[in-house]
Amino acid sequence: MPVFNEDTRVKIPATIQFLRLDYNYQSLKADDIDIDFNTKIFINRFKPALELINGRKFSYDEIKSIITDIHNVLKNNDLGKAFYYWLIDPKDKVKLIDFEDIAKNDFAVVDELPFSVVEGTEEGSFRPDINILINGMPLAFLEVKKPNNDGGIQKEFDRMINKRLQNPDYKKFFNLIQFVSFSNNMEYEEDDDAEDVKAGSFYTTPNGNNTSFSFFREDNEQYHIIYPYKDIDMDTIKYVMKDCGYNSAETDTPEFAENLKTTTPCNSFVTSVFDKERFLYFLQYGIMFISSQIPEKHIMRYPQFFATRKIIERLDAGGKGGIIWHTQGSGKTAIAAFSNRVIRDYYAKKNISTRFFFVVDRLDLLTQASIEFTNRGLKTVNCENKTEFSKELTRPLSKNVGSKAIGEICVVNIQKFEGKMPKAKNDYNANIHRIFFVDEAHRSYSSTGEFFKNLMTCDLDAVYIALTGTPLLSKKERSNLKFGDYIHKYFYDKSIADGYTLRIKKENIDTVAKSEIKKNLEIEDKQLEDKDVYESDAYVNALGAFIERDFINFRLQNSDTSIGAMIVCRTNPQAKKVHQWFKDNSKLNTGLVITDTDDPKQKQINKNNQVDFRETLAPDILVVNFMLTTGYDVKRLKKMYLLRGPHAQSLLQTISRVNRPYKSPNGKIYKYGYIVDFVDIEQEYDKTIEAYIKELEADLNENGENEGSLSGLVVDKEDINRKYHKYVDELEDIISTDNLERFSKQLTFYNKETLLKIRRLLNGIKECQTEFILSRAMDYAEQIDSDKNKKLLKSTQERIDFINLSQNTVDMMDVISNEEVVEILYEFIKVKIIIMDLGQMTQDNPKFQRFSKVVRDIQNEIKKNKNKDDIKIRKLDELLQKIFNDLSISDLNDLDSITDELLEALERARNINYENERLSKIYGGNYAFVKTYQDAIETYPADKSEIERTLVIIFGAIEDALDKEIVTIQGRKNFADSIKSKATKALLKEKIYGKIKGFYAQLLNDLYTNIQLFK
């Protein structure tokens, strides 16, 4: 019968895809294989590759010395920074990769390479499915799962972050590995309402607890179609299949042929990111180390990857710049940082030096950009005045020559371009090219204004790259007429799908609130100007009362006091009055951020409020006019009260302040940013979106395909209502919800994956009701019977809980309470005996009470046990799973026989714990020794009494040090050496050493690991 598993469906076809990209296949069974234990570098590939790259021969001892140097660097606590800089810029070290001549490098893949920590055993190792070797160095891996795997791709993300990256023994390996990827051979999910990402292919770079995973959507639809794949003969494919432990005949099945296609989701991903040139580009330019309170390591997101490459394409074609149109929140400043080395190296190949300038139009943005560039490792020069800018403009060389910075950039405020500016000069005939990145290019750059003229004429030969999320499209001012055509575009639809930004939910101020505000105005003079109304005490009082009530309710509905708001006022006087109203009348704390030339203190107050709102949970609300409506990104800012109507690109910039993803301290993940619309922006929004859509249609990419859409950025109650009905229809297609009892019965026939989908749809309906209430659309909210929906959710969750309990009994009993276990089983049994008089089936029933007492006792014994990996506990788990899976009950009398079975399990659990207590007393209550003993008797060829006595002798030798940090501080090797010096003599004396000699070193390694576990 054909094998149909993860390996034959995904791993082996993906391995063949690498061979199609002209990678070599490295077998772990090859005769010439020579792997350095400490680094997992394949010396048999490393040595010839380095000789070709460096143009000289290396002796074996020289190669071992180089690998020792690499190992020493990898042990740094720096996320692999020192090793990475060796890779991309070896300076006086041996060159490890030739980025200039791709053909000189050796590309290979090896499956199931064990990253083991103790020589001679794979115990405690991790084994990525496909490991990518560059010149013998394992610099990347691809983990694969079969489609629709249990838990989806999220399960792999969790294992990576919570297990592998937490293991100190693996730190050096993740300092070596630069690129990590995952795929379950499925297309990305289109539904952005999914509870967790379940499907697709993703990549990242190891970044400790802050590791995040990126989509990779191919930019060029023709890329896979015209890719020059290498033909792989069937003999090679059969060899790989056999080398992976399968019958070579598995290659003849139609299923394998289907998965071998170049166009499967996983294989397409492999081509997109592991093409030789692209992968080396990622390694050379796509990784950046961020200095912060907790240092981080970032990798280019795919829009940044394509944008930086498009810049070079533009320059190669003779262009002098253009516009990068990337939506807000997509990391435009990061593009400038990543591009620094890309552009510098491009011109260096032409023997041209480069100077980089980053132009902003506000002083606060100068400070913000300067900090960000400095944190990314760039030498940052702030031009504080015209003299400083003139000096930097004519300087032929960067100041960072010889420094540790990865490049240099001058940050200049556009205001410094006022008045006559000097022209750039290349003294001493220096061959130099200047590159200007113009931030937020939709602002301050009127084509007839002095700022724009001075900027564009200070160096007529310079490259000008404009960055914006909202280019100007009016007849009077068009960004692409000023800065050139679009270099690259990345829109809201993809940004939302990729999880970088949220949709925005618009809530119109309701009729009742409007009439209440109007009623309180008490203004009779119809000739008054707008500002006389909107700045009046009556209006501000009514407005303040409404916003206070609404925002408090918003926090209550979300059970979250961490979220903040922004009030965007019509004028500065109105902002001051609103701020004062809250000071006088509300417990909510507001922070005023406005430009006020009459109050010199306001500048510092602005700065304090910005910083406090970002870094603390105060103030609750920011009150602004124009300041902070662009360029201010704070994740907790989730609601905006819009009192004025910005136009065109300013409207999108303003409302996008609330579109950043946010997970609150209580774990709530927000799916929307919210705006309350006091001025009815719908017409202006529709006009703006229509203009952008026309721009997209007019600017087809080179393949003739539309590159994106802006529809769906802003949603309202009608959109939520459509979503609600979609959920209801999907739910009814799966299961009838008319009758709660019948619904509970039906649930028992569904697998866990379907149950999770039912739960997602019910949660979606619940969220729709919350959104209706937040929008004050009570007529829509009344469509949903919240009490019924809550009961449906409860029944679904109980069924999921029972499946989890029956499949992972010990693990579940260890983490949930007695009451929860009893409740899960009670609800399951109640459904099973529905045909009888349920009046007898209560938790007070004597038969059920006997049953539940035994369950509680078993659970208490499981919670007492400190070694859930003990083989005896695993067998107990199998017994309990069998009992719960076979739970067949149609009458209460059946409950007694099930209880009797559980009593046997209870006796077994008690005996396990009794034996553990006996052992722990021998070792002074230290469970590290108990676990080591239990694992050893199942693993090593020695009598139980000999292993027990060995550990008693070791315990006696180190007992005094166990309560101190000595064991941790001295490290694994010194720990083992110390014990050998203290205990080996006693083991020889008792004639035990000869019997345990073969596994003595591994036993000490196991003990060291367990001491860390139980300390």
Side-chain angles (χ1 to χ4, degrees), residues 336-352:
F338 279 121
S339 299
N340 188 284
R341 284 193 296 120
V342 176
I343 298 172
R344 185 189 67 198
D345 287 357
Y346 170 78
Y347 279 111
K349 292 173 186 174
K350 302 173 182 289
N351 294 315
I352 299 173

Side-chain angles (χ1 to χ4, degrees), residues 505-760:
K505 182 161 171 275
K506 180 171 74 74
E507 302 168 0
N508 290 321
I509 182 169
D510 60 39
T511 307
V512 175
K514 276 184 179 176
S515 62
E516 183 181 333
I517 291 173
K518 284 182 179 178
K519 182 179 70 179
N520 287 327
L521 285 178
E522 298 177 357
I523 296 174
E524 297 180 2
D525 186 353
K526 305 297 183 185
Q527 303 303 312
L528 288 175
E529 294 182 16
D530 280 356
K531 72 182 185 67
D532 295 322
V533 176
Y534 295 116
E535 294 173 12
S536 69
D537 291 341
Y539 181 84
V540 170
N541 285 338
L543 179 74
F546 170 79
I547 291 176
E548 179 193 44
R549 185 170 62 251
D550 182 78
F551 187 60
I552 289 173
N553 181 61
F554 182 67
R555 282 181 163 182
L556 286 172
Q557 285 290 333
N558 289 292
S559 302
D560 184 8
T561 58
S562 75
I563 42 181
M566 177 182 283
I567 304 172
V568 181
C569 297
R570 285 173 170 251
T571 62
N572 276 1
Q574 185 191 49
K576 289 180 179 180
K577 283 200 164 191
V578 169
H579 174 58
Q580 190 62 44
W581 186 92
F582 276 93
K583 284 179 72 175
D584 296 340
N585 300 284
S586 178
K587 291 181 180 178
L588 291 173
N589 181 21
T590 57
L592 183 65
V593 182
I594 60 172
T595 303
D596 190 349
T597 54
D598 296 330
D599 185 356
K601 294 180 182 178
Q602 187 61 46
K603 184 176 179 181
Q604 187 59 43
I605 292 171
N606 289 344
K607 185 176 181 180
N608 293 343
N609 284 332
Q610 290 179 60
V611 172
D612 289 347
F613 188 83
R614 182 193 299 276
E615 297 183 359
T616 71
L617 298 183
D620 300 296
I621 303 174
L622 291 171
V623 182
V624 307
N625 178 14
F626 287 102
M627 287 188 72
L628 305 192
T629 55
T630 60
Y632 187 64
D633 303 328
V634 179
K635 292 181 178 181
R636 80 177 189 96
L637 176 51
K638 280 289 142 284
K639 190 148 194 176
M640 175 179 287
Y641 297 91
L642 198 57
L643 309 186
R644 65 173 174 83
H647 297 291
Q649 77 286 340
S650 295
L651 171 61
L652 295 187
Q653 285 283 342
T654 300
I655 65 177
S656 293
R657 294 313 99 211
V658 295
N659 77 346
R660 301 309 190 260
Y662 181 58
K663 182 177 181 179
S664 71
N666 67 14
K668 178 178 174 61
I669 298 174
Y670 286 83
K671 293 186 176 178
Y672 301 100
Y674 298 82
I675 56 171
V676 179
D677 180 9
F678 284 79
V679 290
D680 195 5
I681 62 169
E682 189 166 346
Q683 186 176 355
E684 181 66 27
Y685 170 77
D686 289 343
K687 186 174 78 173
T688 303
I689 293 300
E690 184 182 358
Y692 282 132
I693 290 173
K694 284 182 178 177
E695 181 77 355
L696 298 182
E697 290 172 348
D699 192 60
L700 300 182
N701 68 16
E702 59 194 24
N703 300 312
E705 297 294 333
N706 198 330
E707 293 193 39
S709 168
L710 292 176
S711 59
L713 167 62
V714 175
V715 299
D716 58 15
K717 64 180 182 180
E718 300 300 334
D719 296 297
I720 302 298
N721 193 40
R722 283 189 285 274
K723 181 180 285 191
Y724 160 66
H725 286 291
K726 175 173 167 281
Y727 288 150
V728 170
D729 291 344
E730 284 187 40
L731 187 62
E732 291 301 327
D733 284 344
I734 300 172
I735 188 170
S736 171
T737 58
D738 294 337
N739 184 300
L740 283 169
E741 291 297 346
R742 196 177 300 123
F743 177 82
S744 296
K745 274 282 192 186
Q746 284 179 288
L747 290 176
T748 62
F749 298 106
Y750 291 115
N751 61 23
K752 185 177 175 181
E753 198 66 32
T754 305
L755 291 169
L756 291 172
K757 184 174 183 181
I758 292 171
R759 185 180 70 180
R760 180 177 69 80

Side-chain angles (χ1 to χ4, degrees), residues 230-245:
K230 179 181 177 182
D231 288 332
I232 306 301
D233 61 65
M234 188 52 69
D235 287 344
T236 301
I237 296 172
K238 286 181 179 292
Y239 167 75
V240 172
M241 178 69 77
K242 186 175 181 181
D243 195 60
C244 289

Side-chain angles (χ1 to χ4, degrees), residues 14-27:
T15 301
I16 301 303
Q17 187 78 349
F18 276 99
L19 304 192
R20 290 177 176 137
L21 304 185
D22 200 26
Y23 282 64
N24 297 303
Y25 180 73
Q26 172 65 63
S27 170

Side-chain angles (χ1 to χ4, degrees), residues 96 385 481 893 916-917:
L96 300 177
N385 51 56
L481 294 181
N893 292 324
N916 288 353
E917 286 301 316

